[in-house]
Each structure stands twice: as structure tokens, then as C-alpha cells.
Amino acid sequence: MTILSAERRMSHGSRSPELIEAERIDPARTGVRRADGFDMALICLFLLGLYSNYTIQISTNVPFPSAPSGVAGLILLWRRRNQISAIALGGLVGVLLLFLISILCATNINYLSRRTNGLIQLSYSIVIGYALFLTVTQASRQQIARLFLGFAIVILIGCLLENYAGLRPISDAVRKVIYARGVYENDLRDMLYYQRVRPKFFASEPASVTFCYSVFTFVWLVVSRWRWKLVLYVILVGLGMFAMPGPTLLLMLLLTLPYMLFLASRKAGKLDAARLLLVALAAVFFLGAFVVLGKSLFPTRLEEVTSGNDPSFFYRVRGPALVGIDILDSYPIAGAGITGEPFIENRVVNLYVRSPAYSASWQVVKPATELLINYFWLHWIYFGLVWGVILATAVTAWLVVIGVPSPAFCWMVWAILGQASGAYVGPTCWAVLFLAGAAAVLHERPEPQSERRGVVEISVLRGVAGPRLSRPNAM
């Protein structure tokens, strides 16, 4: 009777008191983690804030960027406060302290107040990004995979409805109410480049739609256990290009490179040489697909880029690279300082105007922050070579401390997506880094062991070998 009761309890997923206590003290011992409904709702709110980039202007010089993300992040931080170890907290404080020292080393102390304001925004973005990291890593792989895939599919369906089912007037009306400024309305440019108006789906601009779709779909790819996930990922890339055309989606193909090189090539938590060779060949294939699709799907846009007639590409990619190289040469110690665009504004304008890729017909963008829309290059522009390396090293060390298995994966993902986003001190920049880190943690997490232990206990009671559990194929 005792044996049958034990078997019945095990077959219904019950666990021994010892196992339950082990999970409570250290969930990593069993691999069993699961976020509750409130945590998942807060993650959703955080992602909505990234998608909408809804900003509340507290005062003339003090914005509250991505306000929904900020609210969700602060609540998540409070809920995760007991999970922050002393060494992780020390790492966070150390990183922020180094950012503070960097602005004191920057040239021209007259811009200290602006740099201080930028440091406050940067600290806010890092803290809420860390809170997001802590919460995502507490969830199961299945929960996070389904959540991010769900967000990506909602964006995809919403864009299709806007293009083909009459949702655009509703979306545009809502956008005019929500966003006080920064609403994209250059539909004529879309018609020139893509032969149709790109969907905005309640976002301030089409770039936000494609950027978030890329990020959410990629996180799903990394986290999912599904055997055929790479096939579905390629399908989602194609559907995305159909529903929301734009070169940002081509970055989804580039994102497969860090995934394959730094995560898919691992075996038992370590790099495997044979697997690395195999995934390197696949990475070369996706790189080739990136080039071919770029030429075939966006020929008009590509022609404008190569002929120097695309201001958007110049301000996002070519221009920031020119300025970054110049600042590394002119201010190698501490760069322009955090949010130091006004300090180098005249220098930037001169560099742009003298560039062969810059058209004299373009209107010089104001304010100075709109001249540089690339958070990868902004890192080097803000901090120069010396402090840029110091801060990157410090953040890398902190990522190791908080358990990220591959900081190189995080930085490569961060750099690729930086070509389509600016605002170094904003939540989006750091959310990308922390989401990449959280996805890497979940990818390397072992299978839950509680059920396997239950099978072993049943086997002992029966005196026979228990069945082997199959690996779950969760989306």
C-alpha cells in the first residue's frame, strides 16, 4: 500500500520533502524555476515600454524615458531584492562608480551638469535592466520562450492588419494621442524605398516596430528548446520582411552569428570544437543570406545608401562611425563624456559636411542628439579609448559575476542591434544587453531534475529500472 501510494504521488508530479526543500533553498540545484503571473505581467509591461518608448517629460531637462519599463523595472527590483547577492550588488555599484569617475575625467567641466543628468538616466536604465535580467532568469525556458514568441506574433499580426485590414487609421489616431513628439509621418519616403507605407502598429515610428520584432524573435530563438526553431526563425524573418519591410530585419540574420558561435557550439556548458565548426559553416550561410537579401529585397534603399542619398543610414551608421573614430583620436582618454553631444556638436557637423557620403541637400539635424543614432559608437564617443575599454571590461566582469555564461555573446548581440538604435543612456540600449545575458543563462540551464528524481525513486521502490525521460520540446 505504501509503495503504491508513493508511485501514485510520483506519477502525479509530487516531490519528496527533501527535493522541495532543495528547490526552496537553491533552485539551481534542480533546474526548476518558474515566475509567477505577476512577474510575467511586469515583464510584459517592461517590453511594452521598450516597444512604445513612451517618455514622460518630468521637467525641461529631465525625461522619464520608456516610463512603463521604468515602473515595471522598479517593481521587479523590489521583488528581486532578496536575490541580489552582496558581490553582485558590489559589482553594480562599482560599475556605476566608474561611470561617475569617467564624467569627471571628460574634457571641459562646463558640461558637467549635462553629463550628470546623463549619468542619472544611465543609472536608471542599468538598474531596471538588471531587474529585468533577474526576473527573466527566475522564469522557466518555456515561459520566456512562449512570452517572447507571443509578442513577436502579435507585432506581426498587427502589422498585417494595419496593411491589409484597415487598422492604420486607428493606429495613427492612437499614436497622435499618445506621443507628443517624434511621430514618424514620412510616408512618401516609404513609398520611394519600399513601394508602400510601413506599418507603425501603435509605435512612434516603423523602426521601433522592426527593432522590437527582431529582439523578441531572437530571444525566443535562443531560449526555445524546440528542435526546429531555426526553421521557424527563418520563416519569421521572411514574414517580417513581408509585413514590415525595412533593413533592420536583416539584422535578424546577423544575430544568428553570435548565437551559433557562442551558445549553439557549446556542449555541457563548454565550447565543443566539432560543433563549433558545424555552426560556423551555418553562420557563413546566414551571413551570405544577409548580403543577398539586402541586395534583392531593398535595391532602391541600397542604391540610395551607396550613392550617399540616404540621410537615415548616414545618421545611424556611417556618421556615428566617422565621429567615433575621430573622437578616439582627438579625445582618447575620456571622450566627450556621457551625453556630450553639445560639446562636440560643431565638430560633428564639420565631419559630416566634409564627408563624401554626406549630401549638401540634407538639412542639418537639430538637436545635437539626433546627429548620432548608434549606441555602439556612442560608447566610444562618450568615453574615448581608455575609459571605453575600462567600462566595457568592468561591465563584462559584472556579467560574469551575475552568472552570464558568455559575455562575448551579449556584447556581439548588443553591437549588432546598436546599428539600429541610439540613446546610449536609455533603457533600450541596456535592456538589449541584459536580455541577451538572461537568454544565455536560460539557454545553458540544465533540464529540470525534479521529475527525473521522481522516476529514480519509483524505480528503487519497484526494484526495476525506470523509464528514461525525453527532452521536452517546448516552443
Side-chain angles (χ1 to χ4, degrees), residues 25 35 90 123 135 141 147 153 197 200 227-228 240 242 251 273 279 282 313 367 371 373 376 394 404 420 438 446:
I25 296 174
S123 302
T135 306
R141 287 183 66 168
L147 176 65
I153 290 176
V197 176
K200 291 88 173 175
R227 181 179 300 176
W228 301 103
F242 173 76
L251 296 179
V279 299
F313 180 82
L371 290 168
I373 312 174
F376 169 78
V404 174

Side-chain angles (χ1 to χ4, degrees), residues 31 41 71 74 84 87 105 114 132 206 216 219 260 284 295 355 360 365 372 412 425 436 463 475:
V71 172
L74 293 176
I84 302 176
I87 188 172
C105 296
R114 176 179 174 85
L132 177 66
F216 299 160
V219 171
M260 292 181 175
V284 171
K295 292 182 178 180
S355 171
V365 177
L372 302 166
M412 192 169 178
V425 299
M475 292 284 283

Side-chain angles (χ1 to χ4, degrees), residues 158-178:
C159 291
L160 291 172
L161 292 175
E162 189 169 316
N163 283 333
Y164 304 105
L167 185 62
R168 177 169 287 115
I170 300 175
S171 175
D172 290 343
V174 172
R175 290 167 60 240
K176 289 180 180 179
V177 173
I178 295 177

